[in-house]
Amino acid sequence: MTGFFDPVQYKTTTRAQWEQAAEAWHRWGPFIEDWLGPATQRMLDAAGVTTGSRVLDVAAGAGGQSLAAARRVGPTGYVLATDISPTILTFAAKAAAEAGLTTVGTQELDGERLDVAAESFDAVISRVGLIYFPDQQAALAGMRRALRPGGRLSAVVYSTADRNGFFAIPVGIIRRHAQLPPPAPGQPGPFSLGAAGVAEQALVAAGFSDIVVETVPSPLRMASAAECVRFERESFGALHTMLAGLPEAQRQAAWDEIGEALAEFEGPDGFVGPCEMLVVSGRKVGR
């Protein structure tokens, strides 16, 4: 396998992944909100989301954090949930309607080309999305442009692979089975902003000030390792893409090995998968 990376093909594949995984991600929504709830609240705090705020959510997915933001901004605020996958946004819109939140809008947008009015938002948020953009600087530039002067960006990203065994172990096993090289520095991936100083440097390069990085322990609590495998198998489209070139028997062998490896995190209280998030935030100073 070569290390050649095609950002256009990657983005096409990513959109297809989320079109396919949208229903499952929505279905697992209550669990995801429990898991990512603390990091989400810290993100909203860091972005300064409050009554009356106008909030842009980039790579919103099924919109769990969009709804959390909408509850904060109240009837005088507004939340625009954007994503590259139109299908997953239908679930976000449906969830907002069911919750009676009339201030949530949705728009299909590429996070690297945010076609929104300049300086039209008080806050920009992105939960586990920025890490997957091939051109993170283009995404950050668009987020900064969307913010009014003094507005804040806040994003939730994974820290390093060694602190996120629930995800890093399956990725490692799949890479070995599929004979895939690890991502090169600068390429998108779950841990692309996790190393010390990397996220801060990205925000500095994009022109943000007052940068803060907060560590949020986010253990993945489930009934069993088997349930974690089911969650990742149904919802993590990237893992399927990595396995796509293998025959079904080899794909199943990889998932079986993943289940065995994750069993080490089972105990008296069920499955507790190691996961650590970073909440990265910065302020737009000037225009």
Side-chain angles (χ1 to χ4, degrees):
M1 299 289 293
T2 70
F4 175 74
F5 177 75
D6 180 345
V8 175
Q9 181 58 48
Y10 170 87
K11 198 175 294 185
T12 300
T13 302
T14 298
R15 184 179 188 276
Q17 286 169 6
W18 284 109
E19 286 288 279
Q20 186 172 6
E23 186 278 330
W25 193 254
H26 169 71
R27 181 162 29 87
W28 284 94
F31 163 75
I32 293 168
E33 296 316 308
D34 285 344
W35 165 39
L36 295 180
T40 300
Q41 294 306 317
R42 288 301 306 132
M43 174 180 69
L44 298 177
D45 289 344
V49 176
T50 187
T51 302
S53 294
R54 286 180 54 84
V55 181
L56 174 63
D57 188 356
V58 180
Q65 68 290 330
S66 308
L67 271 60
R71 293 186 181 98
R72 284 202 186 198
V73 305
T76 60
Y78 177 67
V79 179
L80 179 61
T82 68
D83 201 276
I84 200 171
S85 163
T87 298
I88 208 165
L89 286 176
T90 65
F91 289 105
K94 182 172 181 285
E98 290 174 348
L101 296 168
T102 59
T103 58
V104 178
T106 61
Q107 186 175 351
E108 180 186 347
L109 280 179
D110 182 337
E112 294 178 4
R113 291 192 290 273
L114 291 170
D115 186 17
V116 297
E119 301 184 3
S120 58
F121 291 93
D122 303 299
V124 177
I125 60 174
S126 185
R127 188 175 77 177
V128 200
L130 183 59
I131 49 179
Y132 293 115
F133 293 142
D135 190 343
Q136 291 173 351
Q137 282 301 306
L140 288 167
M143 295 175 187
R144 188 179 184 282
R145 176 181 170 276
L147 282 169
R148 62 165 175 78
R152 290 191 66 85
L153 157 73
S154 187
V156 176
V157 305
Y158 292 104
S159 68
T160 50
D162 61 299
R163 310 285 290 179
N164 287 279
F166 91 98
F167 197 5
I169 288 173
V171 167
I173 289 171
I174 287 174
R175 284 196 186 284
R176 190 179 74 251
H177 277 262
Q179 299 183 344
L180 296 172
Q187 288 182 5
F191 313 114
S192 59
L193 290 171
V198 174
E200 294 97 321
Q201 291 167 11
L203 265 63
V204 167
F208 287 93
S209 304
D210 302 334
I211 296 163
V212 177
V213 178
E214 181 179 358
T215 301
V216 183
S218 304
L220 198 77
R221 301 183 185 278
M222 309 191 87
S224 64
E227 187 180 24
C228 182
V229 171
R230 186 163 63 89
F231 169 53
E232 296 189 23
R233 193 167 185 171
E234 292 181 4
S235 304
F236 286 35
L239 300 182
H240 282 282
T241 300
M242 292 168 70
L243 284 168
L246 296 180
E248 171 58 31
Q250 286 182 256
R251 293 199 296 270
Q252 185 58 51
W255 286 112
D256 290 345
E257 185 178 341
I258 289 167
E260 293 168 6
L262 291 180
E264 70 170 290
F265 302 124
E266 287 185 337
D269 298 321
F271 176 85
V272 183
C275 176
E276 181 180 85
M277 295 295 187
L278 303 177
V279 177
V280 185
S281 59
R283 183 183 304 278
K284 177 179 178 176
V285 177
R287 296 202 174 271

